[in-house]
Amino acid sequence: MTSTRATLLQVAERAGVSLASTSRALHGTGASPAMVERVRAAAAELGYSADAIGRSLRLKKTFQVAFAVADIGNPVYVEMMRAIHEVLAPHGYRVVVMSTGDTARSTTELVRSLNSGFVDGMIVSPLRTDDRLIEEIQQAPVPVVVIGRALDDRGISSVSTDSAGGIGAAVRHLHSLGRRRVGFLNGPLDTTPGAARQRGFDAATETTVFDRTDQEVAADFTVTAGLEAARRLLARGRLDALVAANDLLAIGAIRAVRETGLSVPGDVAITGMDDTELGQVFQPSLTSVSLGSTERGRAAARIMLRLADDPDHAAQQVAVGPELRVRESTGGAQ
């Protein structure tokens, strides 16, 4: 039987350009927008589809990058995933989303599995880290970029943010509104975000005078855990402000406040963190600290591209600053 499948050479001839230019245009590497449009139009006319397996064998690459996180349903990670895809896709890479689990050990095992060669690199945002995980990342056979902790002292490429400073901004915002009885709703303290956000709250309340402060640790960073922890917090005494360590906890806290017959923000002003789309459309819309989820995803993807082209490139670190977004849950913009 004779195959009628269009070839790359036929696409090049139809577009009137060289074979090399055709390949670059189809894979988004080093071709002008006009060239890309011309070549892809020719490919569409001929019904051409790339031979991904053959390309991978020739170049000894999978053209896949893993994005590994503890909770693939968390809106923060969804925003990061979109941003990573936007950067990598034009260069011919697919994003493979994976779950790390919530322990440092499970993340370590996933990083160790990179030896099987199923991806060309990994962008990982670990919930918990330890020395063994750091060692596995350092020894990984493909590039690994960490979103979370700054790891410049360990020779690992990373994209970090100042979530402690972000919590401080939320505390000062509430104080500026005249709120003097503030509670803090955090996630597990043995996690990277939980530890950082606890430091931020402690530092802010040491330098800002409140009549009363209290805090409660939720089982995890979810709406349900936030609801349960906020109920415990509110049962211990009256608060007029509540700082939550992420938007999901804040949404649970709003439900808990309403259960007591109080209003948000009239009786209790509430802030979140991460500035998710869910928090923006929630009622009331959520005052939240943006940690630049999209910016962090893009930065990690750009680092990955550099390392994929040159594995010996020096480790890179990028820091994205926090920004308070004031909305209805603290009496801001309607």
Side-chain angles (χ1 to χ4, degrees), residues 179 198 240:
R179 309 289 175 148
Q198 186 65 52
D240 60 12

Side-chain angles (χ1 to χ4, degrees), residues 125-192:
S125 184
L127 192 61
R128 294 175 171 86
T129 60
D130 59 17
D131 288 341
R132 186 58 188 150
L133 173 57
I134 298 299
E135 291 171 4
E136 286 293 337
I137 292 174
Q138 291 171 326
Q139 298 167 11
V142 297
V144 177
V145 180
V146 175
I147 298 179
R149 289 177 54 189
L151 294 168
D152 51 317
D153 61 328
R154 307 298 290 270
I156 295 173
S157 292
S158 62
V159 181
S160 61
T161 187
D162 182 12
S163 60
I167 289 292
V171 169
R172 290 188 293 274
H173 169 64
L174 292 168
H175 189 272
S176 72
L177 297 176
R179 309 289 175 148
R180 293 295 181 268
R181 298 185 302 276
V182 62
F184 180 43
L185 186 59
N186 200 1
L189 299 180
D190 65 338
T191 63
T192 297

Side-chain angles (χ1 to χ4, degrees), residues 235-254:
R236 292 202 294 267
R238 183 71 178 270
L239 298 170
D240 60 12
L242 200 155
V243 177
N246 77 350
D247 283 3
L248 299 181
L249 292 174
I251 289 170
I254 290 173

Side-chain angles (χ1 to χ4, degrees), residues 9-191:
L9 178 59
Q10 290 171 326
V11 175
E13 291 173 345
R14 176 65 63 91
V17 299
S18 70
L19 193 62
S21 295
T22 301
S23 179
R24 288 196 298 271
L26 289 174
H27 299 131
T29 54
S32 68
M35 177 71 76
V36 170
E37 183 178 357
R38 183 175 176 181
V39 170
R40 289 184 177 175
E45 290 174 12
L46 295 172
Y48 172 82
S49 60
D51 181 0
I53 295 176
R55 183 185 179 216
S56 294
L57 290 173
R58 288 193 307 274
L59 301 178
K60 297 181 180 180
K61 298 180 73 173
T62 67
F63 290 93
Q64 295 190 149
V65 171
F67 177 48
V69 297
D71 179 4
I72 60 177
N74 188 306
V76 173
Y77 298 137
V78 173
E79 290 181 22
M80 287 183 183
M81 178 186 65
R82 289 173 181 160
I84 291 167
H85 170 76
E86 288 172 1
V87 173
L88 295 183
H91 295 269
Y93 287 94
R94 296 176 294 272
V95 179
V96 180
V97 181
M98 308 182 73
S99 175
T100 63
D102 61 1
T103 67
R105 179 178 179 180
S106 60
T107 308
T108 299
E109 292 172 352
L110 185 60
V111 172
R112 188 178 296 126
S113 73
L114 292 172
N115 288 303
S116 64
F118 66 98
V119 292
D120 297 330
M122 175 180 283
I123 298 172
V124 60
S125 184
L127 192 61
R128 294 175 171 86
T129 60
D130 59 17
D131 288 341
R132 186 58 188 150
L133 173 57
I134 298 299
E135 291 171 4
E136 286 293 337
I137 292 174
Q138 291 171 326
Q139 298 167 11
V142 297
V144 177
V145 180
V146 175
I147 298 179
R149 289 177 54 189
L151 294 168
D152 51 317
D153 61 328
R154 307 298 290 270
I156 295 173
S157 292
S158 62
V159 181
S160 61
T161 187
D162 182 12
S163 60
I167 289 292
V171 169
R172 290 188 293 274
H173 169 64
L174 292 168
H175 189 272
S176 72
L177 297 176
R179 309 289 175 148
R180 293 295 181 268
R181 298 185 302 276
V182 62
F184 180 43
L185 186 59
N186 200 1
L189 299 180
D190 65 338
T191 63

